[in-house]
Amino acid sequence: MSRVLSTLAVGFALAASCVEAAEPPRSVAEIASATFVFGCAAHVGALDKLHDRLQQGGDLYLPRLPDAAAKPFLQGRPGEAYLREEAGVTLALLTKDEQCAVFVRRVPSAAINAQVEKDLKAAVGRYFNVQPGGREANGPLTSRFLDLLPSAAYRDELVKRHGSEPTGLRVIVTTSENANPDLQAIITIGVRQP
């Protein structure tokens, strides 16, 4: 399972690294989505590399939050949090759980959902089919699922290399317009369950 995840991550990282932004992101939705796609999504299975790139001098440098300020984003788990102050965007690395998430302070739900889908298609459309995977509502929270399924050629390569059907990845964009005025979206990625 971890080999397939690593291979999916390598394909994702290669695809995401080939995309150059036409112009710098301007809106909070664009900044949050770019932080997620080029941070969390491009480093699935390789968060140690993301950690290195986030440090001073790294090409994805973000200031690290002090431990006390990072606690709400880590929810008692070991890790670190990095802040894009100008946009109200925080990237959290949960080191023991090998998870990464982007928290967005203020952003309209429709804008962040549309931007993440657009950026994922641009970054990995050559290797993955980005498909809506449904929605789930829980009180004031709504989660939208985007499934990343290996395209035919990439899927065949994975089957040949690992001898089994790849599960793909799932991006979850959880939003709320009124649950918490200081947190309106959380974006995560993980292995898609069959």
Side-chain angles (χ1 to χ4, degrees), residues 130-170:
V130 179
Q131 301 175 347
R135 290 181 188 270
E136 184 178 287
N138 184 3
L141 303 175
T142 301
S143 294
R144 179 172 182 234
F145 309 112
L146 293 169
D147 291 332
L148 307 176
L149 305 171
S151 64
Y154 190 50
R155 183 195 149 284
D156 292 344
E157 180 184 326
L158 292 173
V159 168
K160 186 174 14 173
R161 190 179 300 171
H162 299 290
S164 62
E165 184 73 27
T167 57
L169 300 167
R170 174 167 273 184

Side-chain angles (χ1 to χ4, degrees), residues 23-149:
E23 55 189 62
R26 287 180 259 165
S27 73
V28 170
E30 290 171 319
I31 292 169
S33 180
T35 301
F36 173 74
V37 170
F38 295 107
C40 297
H43 293 86
V44 171
L47 290 184
D48 55 332
K49 291 179 184 165
L50 175 58
H51 177 268
D52 293 345
R53 294 178 74 190
L54 288 168
Q55 303 310 303
Q56 184 115 21
D59 61 329
L60 295 178
Y61 171 72
L62 290 175
R64 183 176 169 193
L65 286 172
D67 291 342
K71 277 186 181 183
F73 302 103
L74 303 175
Q75 301 172 346
R77 296 179 282 182
E80 300 173 350
Y82 300 84
L83 181 64
R84 290 195 73 152
E85 180 74 42
E86 79 284 2
V89 172
T90 303
L91 183 146
L93 290 177
L94 302 167
T95 50
K96 186 176 178 184
D97 299 331
E98 282 291 312
Q99 293 180 343
C100 181
V102 170
F103 295 81
V104 189
R105 203 174 312 144
R106 298 187 191 281
V107 65
S109 297
I112 193 66
N113 279 311
Q115 192 67 48
V116 169
E117 184 171 356
K118 175 185 170 190
D119 289 350
L120 284 171
K121 285 180 179 178
V124 300
R126 181 174 170 199
Y127 295 96
F128 292 90
N129 297 313
V130 179
Q131 301 175 347
R135 290 181 188 270
E136 184 178 287
N138 184 3
L141 303 175
T142 301
S143 294
R144 179 172 182 234
F145 309 112
L146 293 169
D147 291 332
L148 307 176
L149 305 171

